[in-house]
Amino acid sequence: DNQWGSPEEDAERRDFTINGLFFDPQEHQVIDYVGGWKDIHQGLLRTIGDPRVRFKQDPVRMLRLIKFRARFGFDIAPETRAALCDCREEIIKSSPARVLEELFRMLESGASERFFHEMVEMGLLSMLLPWLARFLQGQGGKGVYDLLKCVDDYNKQAEKPANRAVLAACLLFPIL
């Protein structure tokens, strides 16, 4: 039951301005209806539309925001950051399968150490996995972060990311 609409309408349905860009291969130009080109050059993450509404529509967008921050080192627009803080409890309404998939994707990304630091800092990990958030904030957290750094280094070099069982072990082994 998808309604495609115009390119402008499609761009408005995207989550962040950096994901709202199109490319015209015939003219070899970027088409930007939402200010994403400027935000990329400024290193800024901003939602398309009201961030509170967007996060409540799909709370997994908050994980994606932190994913982009971890992978690209971009800043978060003040209104988007405030909305994440206000809406973080919405994350527990997300499908566990979608959350797990996003976590595994980040473990495979080569930026998992930074991602989990950001998840703790933003308070999202304490909503999803409070026991892990507490552990990461304690003395044992360094062991997890050290393993995540090792797997990040491996994943940046390898043709295929490490096996998901190995990735999960990076999070769990120091705890166990």
Side-chain angles (χ1 to χ4, degrees), residues 81-115:
R81 181 182 290 276
L84 183 138
C85 292
D86 292 346
C87 298
R88 71 176 138 229
E89 292 179 5
E90 296 287 319
I91 195 67
I92 62 172
K93 297 176 182 176
S94 299
S95 158
R98 282 189 68 208
V99 169
L100 183 61
E101 185 60 29
E102 286 295 329
L103 293 178
F104 272 123
R105 285 183 184 165
M106 278 314 298
L107 286 167
E108 294 168 337
S109 74
S112 65
E113 179 190 18
R114 184 165 180 180
F115 174 77

Side-chain angles (χ1 to χ4, degrees), residues 33-116:
Y33 300 108
V34 293
W37 189 249
K38 178 181 174 189
D39 285 347
I40 284 175
H41 288 282
Q42 291 181 341
L44 191 64
L45 296 166
R46 178 189 321 273
T47 58
I48 296 172
D50 183 334
R52 284 172 181 78
V53 170
R54 303 298 280 169
F55 291 151
K56 288 182 179 183
Q57 286 172 337
D58 183 2
V60 173
R61 288 180 174 135
M62 292 183 281
L63 296 179
R64 290 173 46 79
L65 175 69
I66 293 175
K67 173 177 78 173
F68 289 132
R69 177 159 168 71
R71 287 183 72 194
F72 304 125
F74 285 10
D75 292 325
I76 299 172
E79 66 277 4
T80 302
R81 181 182 290 276
L84 183 138
C85 292
D86 292 346
C87 298
R88 71 176 138 229
E89 292 179 5
E90 296 287 319
I91 195 67
I92 62 172
K93 297 176 182 176
S94 299
S95 158
R98 282 189 68 208
V99 169
L100 183 61
E101 185 60 29
E102 286 295 329
L103 293 178
F104 272 123
R105 285 183 184 165
M106 278 314 298
L107 286 167
E108 294 168 337
S109 74
S112 65
E113 179 190 18
R114 184 165 180 180
F115 174 77
F116 280 94

